[in-house]
């Protein structure tokens, strides 16, 4: 016979064990990833034109990073860095991989334009921890089957392999085969409805089916990348805007609505308290093609001014991250992979040659210091380094520029002539980093003259 006291003790131990198990449960992870959004084109970033109530609410429930950077100012390289946690130049992914456009200028054929198979992706790492993984939307990391999401760590896929496509269904095959809508591997069929909504619905379906095990959803919207195609009913909500700006507002509204549907589903299923949600963007907004606004930052997509490489960035993890908070030190999208992996129970020793860091100790005030003292960018001979508050930009056709980002975040005053020793020191540090990189696997000769490539090799061979 068991005594009353022993039964009570057993029940207490069972309760404690259940609470420990609950506390150690792996969090779900949802990455909401926009394309070509302007730094200032969201309500939580101060926009008075754009309507983004769902993302604004997300910002109020977590942390907003004020100095979040991407590893490149264009789509493909930025995504390659994010999904590997490594500077993409370390494996030669320096330029956009657009085979139909590049083959005439580069020495590389389309089938080889992707993340090398030797690189582990975010999907690979999380699958190793038992996560169900899915990728929806724009891939842009290799067009042939060997680079396909299902061969790079993801269980499910609905999207397109290329870099841009229509939002409404194609009546005929698109001109670029890589932009056909594909379910999993090789099953091509156009969708019904507006693509931004379709991608969110697919993510919701996956979440519902995988709710009883840890899951990772990479929801890679093509919004708000060109072509400029918004639903008329969305544009009608912006009577005071015209032209591309009106179309962008409609597309941004649909992006926010789609994100809201995913967030609502997490709450409905009771998963929101144990789900890490990230919202960010792949590069600065193009102020010409889609009328994005990056103000008060200087620059635009494709350059290394702050407006080309600094992006909106939100993170929510209830109980781990303080609501309505901000984090002001520089971080990078390279940090997402190690952050997710460590949150899922991964060990440091399993992360191989990673350039990113786990952000959770920093935003939860468990670690002093800052995640990155130095960050780098490179495209051809063009190179940039941010070291502390100092930022040096190197060009092939004009003198370098030097800015103090703390005092001049809008990069209005070039200080290079006043601080020659600082310029020299940052040049040396940038060169030292470049010596650790691979030669670009493909490069647009139209953009970069042979003299620049020879100069790159000269530095690398010193």
């Amino acid at each position: 016979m068991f005594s009353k006291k022993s039964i009570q003790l057993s029940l207490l131990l069972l309760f404690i064990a259940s609470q420990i198990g609950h506390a150690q449960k792996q969090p779900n992870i949802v990455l909401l990833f926009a394309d070509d959004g302007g730094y200032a084109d969201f309500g939580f970033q101060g926009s008075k034109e754009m309507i983004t109530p769902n993302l604004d609410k997300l910002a109020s429930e977590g942390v907003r990073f004020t100095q979040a950077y991407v590893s490149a100012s264009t789509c493909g390289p930025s995504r390659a860095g994010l999904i590997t946690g490594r500077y993409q130049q370390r494996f030669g992914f320096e330029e956009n991989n657009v085979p139909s456009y590049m083959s005439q200028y580069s020495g590389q054929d389309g089938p080889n334009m992707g993340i090398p198979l030797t690189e582990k992706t975010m999907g690979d790492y999380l699958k190793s921890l038992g996560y169900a993984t899915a990728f929806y939307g724009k891939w842009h990391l290799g067009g042939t089957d060997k680079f396909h999401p299902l061969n790079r760590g993801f269980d499910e896929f609905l999207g397109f392999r290329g870099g841009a496509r229509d939002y409404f269904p194609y009546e005929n095959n698109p001109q670029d085969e890589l932009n056909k809508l594909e379910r999993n591997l090789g099953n091509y069929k156009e969708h019904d409805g507006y693509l931004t909504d379709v991608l969110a619905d697919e993510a919701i379906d996956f979440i519902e089916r995988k709710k009883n095990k840890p899951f990772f959803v990479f929801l890679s919207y093509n919004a708000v990348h060109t072509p400029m195609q918004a639903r008329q009913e969305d544009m009608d909500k912006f009577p005071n805007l015209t032209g591309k700006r009106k179309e962008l507002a409609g597309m941004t509204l649909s992006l926010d609505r789609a994100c809201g549907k995913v967030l609502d589903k997490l709450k409905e299923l009771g998963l929101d308290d144990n789900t890490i949600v990230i919202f960010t963007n792949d590069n600065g907004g193009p102020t010409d093609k889609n009328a994005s606004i990056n103000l008060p930052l200087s620059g635009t997509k494709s350059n290394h001014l702050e407006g080309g490489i600094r992006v909106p960035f939100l993170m929510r993890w209830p109980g781990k991250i303080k609501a309505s908070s901000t984090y002001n030190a520089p971080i990078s999208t390279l940090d997402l992979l190690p952050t997710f992996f460590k949150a899922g129970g991964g060990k440091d020793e399993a992360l191989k040659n990673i350039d990113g860091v786990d952000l959770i100790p920093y935003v939860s005030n468990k670690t002093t210091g800052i995640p990155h003292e130095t960050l780098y960018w490179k495209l051809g001979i063009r190179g940039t380094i941010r070291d502390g508050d100092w930022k040096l930009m190197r060009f092939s056709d004009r003198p370098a520029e030097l800015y103090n980002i703390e005092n001049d975040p809008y990069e209005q005053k070039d200080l290079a002539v006043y601080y020659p020793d600082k310029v020299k020191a940052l040049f040396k540090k940038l060169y030292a980093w470049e010596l650790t990189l691979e030669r670009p696997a493909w490069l647009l000769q139209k953009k970069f003259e042979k003299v620049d490539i020879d100069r790159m090799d000269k530095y690398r061979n010193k």
Side-chain angles (χ1 to χ4, degrees):
M1 293 286 294
F2 294 101
S3 68
K4 183 177 180 181
K5 183 176 290 186
S6 66
I7 292 173
Q8 289 175 333
L9 179 60
S10 297
L11 291 174
L12 178 61
L13 291 173
L14 285 171
F15 174 77
I16 293 173
S18 70
Q19 294 305 298
I20 293 173
H22 177 74
Q24 292 177 342
K25 183 180 179 183
Q26 292 167 291
N28 305 306
I29 301 168
V30 175
L31 174 54
L32 304 171
F33 199 56
D35 192 353
D36 278 9
Y39 186 76
D41 282 336
F42 301 92
F44 64 87
Q45 291 288 92
S47 177
K48 302 301 182 184
E49 293 180 334
M50 300 298 162
I51 301 175
T52 56
N54 294 294
L55 292 174
D56 298 347
K57 184 172 184 289
L58 180 64
S60 73
E61 296 170 339
V63 58
R64 181 174 70 90
F65 294 83
T66 62
Q67 295 194 70
Y69 290 98
V70 289
S71 61
S73 61
T74 52
C75 304
S78 173
R79 293 160 188 270
L82 180 154
I83 208 167
T84 61
R86 283 162 48 81
Y87 283 109
Q88 61 280 357
Q89 297 92 343
R90 295 199 186 282
F91 46 87
F93 201 130
E94 192 159 315
E95 172 61 273
N96 261 335
N97 57 327
V98 187
S100 60
Y101 179 53
M102 300 185 81
S103 58
Q104 59 183 310
Y105 302 119
S106 73
Q108 194 68 273
D109 293 327
N112 294 314
M113 292 182 181
I115 297 175
L117 303 185
T118 51
E119 298 297 320
K120 289 184 67 174
T121 72
M122 190 179 282
D124 293 323
Y125 276 105
L126 290 173
K127 274 180 70 70
S128 74
L129 299 177
Y131 278 76
T133 59
F135 191 99
Y136 299 113
K138 172 177 171 176
W139 179 240
H140 208 198
L141 295 173
T144 57
D145 287 355
K146 65 181 179 180
F147 298 128
H148 192 278
L150 265 59
N151 292 321
R152 305 312 303 266
F154 293 94
D155 299 321
E156 299 186 20
F157 172 67
L158 178 80
F160 56 100
R161 304 188 194 189
R165 61 153 286 147
D166 284 3
Y167 292 79
F168 297 102
Y170 289 117
E171 295 183 4
N172 301 306
N173 282 337
Q175 186 175 6
D176 190 335
E177 291 290 303
L178 295 181
N179 293 322
K180 294 165 61 175
L181 196 71
E182 179 182 22
R183 182 178 294 280
N184 293 325
L185 182 55
N187 182 13
Y188 295 98
K189 183 181 178 181
E190 278 302 302
H191 60 94
D192 296 319
Y194 189 70
L195 185 56
T196 304
D197 295 320
V198 170
L199 297 176
D201 290 341
E202 287 290 324
I204 288 170
D205 178 69
F206 179 81
I207 289 169
E208 289 178 323
R209 287 186 285 109
K210 304 298 182 180
K211 62 185 177 183
N212 293 322
K213 67 174 298 183
F215 59 77
F216 168 48
V217 176
F218 194 142
L219 186 42
S220 178
Y221 295 107
N222 53 321
V224 292
H225 195 289
T226 54
M228 303 305 290
Q229 295 176 348
R231 303 194 319 169
Q232 186 60 50
E233 55 265 43
D234 289 333
M235 288 191 291
D236 289 343
K237 293 181 170 61
F238 302 91
N240 297 325
L241 299 179
T242 60
K244 291 182 181 179
R245 193 70 183 158
K246 187 184 188 79
E247 292 172 317
L248 176 66
M251 294 166 73
T252 302
L253 178 61
S254 71
L255 170 66
D256 180 81
R257 180 175 59 245
C259 291
K261 289 167 64 177
V262 175
L263 297 173
D264 288 345
K265 179 56 65 174
L266 292 172
K267 184 175 182 179
E268 176 190 321
L269 296 175
L271 301 174
D272 51 340
D273 282 346
N274 193 42
T275 301
I276 300 172
V277 177
I278 299 281
F279 174 81
T280 189
N281 188 58
D282 63 346
N283 47 248
T287 55
D288 53 351
K289 293 181 179 179
N290 74 357
S292 294
I293 292 178
N294 298 315
L295 296 174
L297 304 178
S298 296
T300 183
K301 176 181 179 177
S302 300
N303 67 41
H304 290 166
L305 290 164
E306 293 291 287
I309 55 177
R310 195 190 291 199
V311 293
F313 196 115
L314 304 175
M315 178 188 292
R316 184 186 75 184
W317 191 5
K320 301 287 186 178
I321 296 174
K322 184 179 178 181
S324 297
S325 58
T326 58
Y327 188 79
N328 298 317
I331 67 159
S332 170
T333 49
L334 299 173
D335 301 329
L336 288 175
L337 187 153
T339 299
F340 294 163
F341 186 68
K342 291 297 296 297
K347 305 300 182 183
D348 284 326
E349 55 267 25
L351 291 170
K352 304 296 185 183
N353 302 317
I354 295 295
D355 291 307
V357 302
D358 177 13
L359 293 174
I360 300 302
Y362 294 95
V363 297
S364 59
N365 296 318
K366 293 181 179 179
T367 297
T368 58
I370 62 175
H372 298 278
E373 184 64 32
T374 308
L375 290 168
Y376 303 93
W377 296 266
K378 179 180 178 298
L379 182 58
I381 197 63
R382 185 156 46 107
T384 296
I385 177 173
R386 174 164 177 181
D387 190 59
D389 294 333
W390 292 97
K391 179 178 175 183
L392 177 82
M393 301 175 64
R394 183 190 68 201
F395 307 95
S396 64
D397 58 350
R398 61 187 187 275
E401 296 175 6
L402 179 70
Y403 299 98
N404 187 293
I405 299 301
E406 175 66 23
N407 298 331
D408 180 23
Y410 315 134
E411 297 167 298
Q412 298 297 302
K413 186 172 180 58
D414 177 11
L415 300 174
V417 69
Y418 302 106
Y419 295 92
D421 290 342
K422 176 61 69 173
V423 170
K424 183 177 180 180
L426 292 180
F427 258 105
K428 287 183 176 181
K429 198 164 187 176
L430 179 59
Y431 292 153
W433 174 72
E434 288 177 307
L435 291 173
T436 70
L437 308 178
E438 293 289 336
R439 179 168 178 157
W442 57 86
L443 199 64
L444 272 180
Q445 300 292 340
K446 188 174 183 179
K447 285 187 179 180
F448 307 109
E449 299 297 331
K450 185 176 185 302
V451 65
D452 289 338
I453 298 174
D454 290 344
R455 194 179 304 162
M456 291 159 60
D457 285 338
K458 176 183 176 183
Y459 294 138
R460 192 173 285 110
N461 293 331
K462 277 188 175 182

